[in-house]
Amino acid sequence: MQVRRLVSRPVLVAAAAGTGSLLGAASGSVAAAAYFARKVITPDELQPDDVAILRHDAESVTFAAGPDPVVPGRYGVWLDGGAGHARVGEILDSDATSVTRRLLSVDRGVLDVGPARWNQYFYWDRPSVSLGLPDEDVSIVSDVGALPGWVVPPEGGRSGQDWAVLVHGRGARREETLRAVPVLRDAGWTSLVAAYRNDRDAPEGPDGRYNLGLSEWRDVEAAMGYAVSHGARRILLLGWSMGGAIVLQALDRSPLAEYVVGVVLDSAVIDWGVVLRHHGRLRRVPAPLVRMASGLLGSRRSRRLVGVREPIDVALTDWVARADELRHPMLVIASDGDDFVPIGPAVALAGRRPDLVRFERWGVARHCREWNNDPERWESVLREFVVTR
């Protein structure tokens, strides 16, 4: 998932200007709540540089200190607006103003001093380029049109009855899911890395907005249908961040869920209500305004105000409350260090359904970066789950 601020405090205040204070004027409150709601569901167009390279040599790169460069693990770095890419590993040195990390490779372009963009995916291109694995471009037909995907066959080269559908997060790229492909391939699973509506390389949905999984599930269903039509009889669903919310809706709504034998949720949104409240607190947005935003999203009367075609009922995304409805074995991976999706719902879901959920808890990993932080553990956990399906 590409982490971006959902909303900022100054713009919310500006939305209410001219009609009284944020809490004191009803019209101002509605305007600000609608703005908050729109920010949550509007795809991010801009991917700004967010780190600074201070110096480098043949073996290391030094970054200005910041929330990303200081966390242990291995990561990618987009260079020159995305034209170039490098990968970095362990922290070699740090102080209050800078962090020096081992340079693992320059994959394309030129590494130079200046602004860059952190790439938590680590991988920067399709499986054949980033992983050196055979892949195939495929087209998956959903109700919004043709969605691009990659198919990576298992070891041996022939797809059989075991298929995995990999679903990335909000504003992210398909490359986010590639970390799972080698494990799946070695275990005999075909990987289908699928796009969904409003991705940069996919058709827009009818309203051009994210629906928090409540419409995107149809695209996962289409991917499952593609797998079944190509021989799948057992399906794994893997979802990162909002991709997890999409997967959960597909399990609930699609008749093809009967093919699913296991689910992997990484930093998944298990309750959008918790995520919205969390970001409201981070940006000092008053709790009543956040509740109003949720109400606007779910109201048929306010659809045009927030720009959606179908109401988005946030309560339908609360899988802690709906835990009794779940019926598929799950591997749930989450981190205390996740600053975008709070860990609380994952902990609560594991407590509610210990019969279904294997819960793996990380400490310092940021959002969707448990693999980056400890790839050996992450891959081992996934492998153990997959081979028991």
Side-chain angles (χ1 to χ4, degrees), residues 211-215 217 245-246 248-250 252-253 269-273 298 310-323 325-326:
N211 286 189
L212 309 186
L214 299 179
S215 67
W217 70 269
I246 298 171
L248 288 165
Q249 293 299 324
D252 179 51
R253 296 166 182 246
V269 179
I270 293 170
D271 180 355
W272 268 108
E310 303 174 30
I312 301 173
D313 186 348
V314 175
L316 293 177
T317 73
D318 182 355
W319 288 100
V320 177
R322 301 182 65 186
E325 302 174 40
L326 298 172

Side-chain angles (χ1 to χ4, degrees), residues 11 78 82 184 210 226 232 235 246 359 373-374:
V11 182
W78 293 110
L184 294 166
Y210 295 126
Y226 179 95
I235 294 176
I246 298 171
F359 182 48
N373 179 246
D374 191 342

